Amino acid sequence: MARERIAAVRGMNDLLPAQAPLWEWFEARVADWVRSYGYQLIRTPVLEHTELFVRGIGEVTDIVEKEMYTFEARSSSEKLTLRPEFTAGTVRAAIEHSLTYDAPKRVWSMGPLFRHERPQRGRFRQFHQVNVEALGFTGPDIDAEQIAMLARLWKILGITSARLEINCLGQLEERARHRVDLISYFEQRRKLLDADSVRRLTTNPMRILDSKNPALTQLLADAPEITAYLSDASRRHFDGLQDLLNAAGVAFKVNPRLVRGLDYYNLTVFEWITDELGSQGTLCGGGRYDPLIERLGGKPTPAIGFAIGMERVIECLTQAGHINDAAHVDVYVVHQGGVTAPRAFLAAEQLRDAGLDVICHAGEASLKSQMKKADTSGAEFAVIIGENEVAADSATVKALRTPSAEQRIVPLQILADTLIDALVQADQ
Ligand code: HAM
């Protein structure tokens, strides 16, 4: 009786071999790009103590209130959470290992994150980010550098639709004054708010500004803007950022209602958005989080960072018709079974010793079917090892991409060199 199949968990995707070349291409570009700005890799665990995210991201954020995958560890009643973002874990590691003890640090990460959101286009329960953090810098030069860095990445990737929005959230006291006025503004218009906004009124009123409900558009447009509450120092920081962006030729729009969904931000926040992906069009979000390191038990240390949604970038590239073919092996080795199989196995190992990429046929099959597999593998050459070849200590080489090419018998001793020469010639 056939057993029932087990499907992947909802909202969690498989990366299949056909899509892998595009991901590999993207990841390789990212690795070069972060290096070109002096960022070093940091890899933190996927599991952290729940408290890290509660304290780091903020108790009344959507992520902490309703999106975390949290469970109790088997051995104790410790509460653990699958990381919903990288920043809190990166800061935890930086404090734990005194990373900024003698100098500021630029670090980056890439990997899976988990949020129990409603799955839809561009929004998954397991997704991937490229995350970049600069710890120990007050800015605004580094703020501008990170934003210019992203403008460069879109250029490298050929993404032309990404537009930039920036805002300044000021410092905690400035936000507190804004908050008082915001609450009073919305309280007076409570009847116009939707249920979500009424709930946020007492928890996180700034997030009401983030609402995508079209019925609230006018109400939000008339709400008090943070810009009016900024101190001179915050304003100078924001002006400094804008001057540098203008000088670097990076176009931006100031959006006074851009607040971001995590609680740790102050001063600069920014998002890169595309209109090509429907409602989930934010490719990248980030900002300054000067209060966070102290909030997590470290010495007060200013910091700024951002994260790119990798699935969204990949969708952008796919939509733009970006094709990446699978990387092909150089050689496919076929054999006739029996004594020829171990000889083929060894020949394949020797070719790999010489630096070639090789598939050696595994299992039994007719020569004809093996040659078909060699062809569909994309290999440049088939190396055939039959009984005659074993007897003569040789192999037959067939060029698979030039139909007119004759087969050649080549002594095993010079097989690798012959193939390397032929590959170089084919490349020219
Ligand atoms: P975030 O805005 O929550 O920021 O996420 C950054 C990006 O990750 C989003 O703009 C989006 O592209 C992608 N993303 C988020 N959730 C999902 C999802 N469910 N499915 C697919 N993609 C998603 C942060 O995570 C901050 N830690 C960024 C940061 C770093 N700020 C300072 N340093």
Side-chain angles (χ1 to χ4, degrees):
M1 196 181 72
R3 304 279 298 268
E4 203 180 313
R5 287 195 209 165
I6 301 171
V9 176
R10 186 164 128 81
M12 307 206 175
N13 300 317
D14 299 307
L15 170 61
L16 300 176
Q19 300 137 11
L22 183 53
W23 280 81
E24 288 177 307
W25 178 85
F26 174 31
E27 289 171 18
R29 299 290 81 68
V30 164
D32 289 345
W33 163 72
V34 285
R35 197 174 310 115
S36 77
Y37 281 84
Y39 282 84
Q40 296 174 299
L41 181 68
I42 182 166
R43 223 174 253 165
T44 59
V46 172
L47 266 186
E48 297 274 3
H49 292 288
T50 303
E51 176 62 16
L52 175 70
F53 302 115
V54 176
R55 230 202 287 167
I57 299 171
E59 210 153 348
V60 291
T61 54
D62 284 351
I63 295 181
V64 170
E65 274 186 344
K66 47 190 189 199
E67 294 171 2
M68 296 204 301
Y69 283 88
T70 296
F71 56 91
E72 271 185 16
R74 225 176 251 274
S75 53
S76 62
S77 55
E78 248 184 332
K79 275 186 141 183
L80 303 176
T81 295
L82 287 172
R83 64 183 180 200
E85 58 119 37
F86 278 110
T87 311
T90 306
V91 166
R92 195 252 328 123
I95 297 170
E96 200 165 326
H97 305 285
S98 309
L99 285 190
T100 56
Y101 174 69
D102 51 354
K105 270 273 177 310
R106 292 172 163 88
V107 291
W108 76 286
S109 311
M110 179 159 69
L113 303 145
F114 304 85
R115 295 184 192 176
H116 196 272
E117 297 190 87
R118 193 170 59 77
Q120 54 180 285
R121 181 179 179 202
R123 188 195 270 172
F124 310 102
R125 291 182 171 170
Q126 176 176 322
F127 61 99
H128 297 76
Q129 287 181 346
V130 172
N131 188 78
V132 169
E133 312 285 4
L135 310 170
F137 299 88
T138 46
D141 50 356
I142 194 90
D143 308 29
E145 186 185 271
Q146 286 198 341
I147 291 172
M149 181 176 174
L150 283 155
R152 185 184 297 276
L153 180 66
W154 311 136
K155 219 180 262 171
I156 292 170
L157 300 177
I159 291 178
T160 51
S161 62
R163 58 186 164 79
L164 170 65
E165 293 191 356
I166 62 173
N167 192 19
C168 179
L169 298 181
Q171 304 291 9
L172 292 181
E173 320 79 68
E174 295 149 44
R175 280 168 76 172
R177 283 192 291 119
H178 178 228
R179 186 188 152 101
V180 170
D181 287 358
L182 209 54
I183 293 176
S184 122
Y185 171 84
F186 285 128
E187 280 291 4
Q188 285 162 28
R189 293 156 185 84
R190 201 182 175 99
K191 282 205 196 85
L192 303 173
L193 294 176
D194 56 18
D196 220 25
S197 303
V198 169
R199 189 179 55 80
R200 287 190 161 137
L201 197 48
T202 47
T203 55
N204 200 347
M206 261 185 120
R207 285 281 281 158
I208 301 177
L209 299 175
D210 233 13
S211 168
K212 302 285 182 287
N213 183 350
L216 299 184
T217 310
Q218 195 52 49
L219 188 69
L220 300 187
D222 297 339
E225 288 181 355
I226 182 70
T227 325
Y229 298 78
L230 296 182
S231 67
D232 287 347
S234 296
R235 225 176 265 279
R236 268 200 305 281
H237 196 279
F238 198 34
D239 288 345
L241 167 67
Q242 294 181 54
D243 288 347
L244 283 164
L245 290 179
N246 283 325
V250 178
F252 60 87
K253 182 182 141 196
V254 175
N255 174 2
R257 275 180 296 283
L258 178 66
V259 293
R260 308 269 306 124
L262 305 96
D263 249 8
Y264 44 61
Y265 293 112
N266 70 322
L267 295 174
T268 308
V269 287
F270 59 89
E271 283 185 353
W272 287 89
I273 304 149
T274 174
D275 297 322
E276 317 250 298
L277 299 182
S279 65
Q280 303 303 316
T282 308
L283 293 175
C284 169
R288 183 159 278 289
Y289 52 93
D290 299 335
L292 181 62
I293 299 183
E294 192 178 9
R295 207 197 278 177
L296 292 178
K299 286 207 197 98
T301 310
I304 182 167
F306 61 81
I308 301 166
M310 296 182 74
E311 281 78 3
R312 295 186 188 178
V313 169
I314 289 283
E315 200 189 334
C316 244
L317 293 170
T318 308
Q319 266 190 18
H322 192 109
I323 307 281
N324 271 81
D325 287 334
H328 297 310
V329 291
D330 303 313
V331 178
Y332 195 106
V333 179
V334 307
H335 57 79
Q336 281 180 310
V339 290
T340 70
R343 181 60 72 91
F345 179 92
L346 286 180
E349 280 296 302
Q350 281 162 5
L351 295 179
R352 293 184 192 110
D353 286 344
L356 294 167
D357 298 334
V358 182
I359 293 177
C360 183
H361 185 82
E364 306 225 332
S366 70
L367 263 189
K368 190 167 164 210
S369 117
Q370 290 186 53
M371 287 304 286
K372 245 194 208 147
K373 290 200 169 69
D375 194 39
T376 49
S377 76
E380 284 291 327
F381 295 99
V383 163
I384 304 155
I385 301 201
E387 279 162 14
N388 293 344
E389 283 85 356
V390 170
D393 234 0
S394 65
T396 299
V397 172
K398 184 173 181 352
L400 295 170
R401 309 297 143 206
T402 30
S404 57
E406 305 252 310
Q407 295 195 9
R408 280 189 290 167
I409 295 175
V410 179
L412 278 183
Q413 263 180 338
I414 59 162
L415 180 62
D417 288 343
T418 309
L419 288 168
I420 289 167
D421 286 349
L423 280 166
V424 170
Q425 263 176 22
D427 234 18
Q428 284 165 357

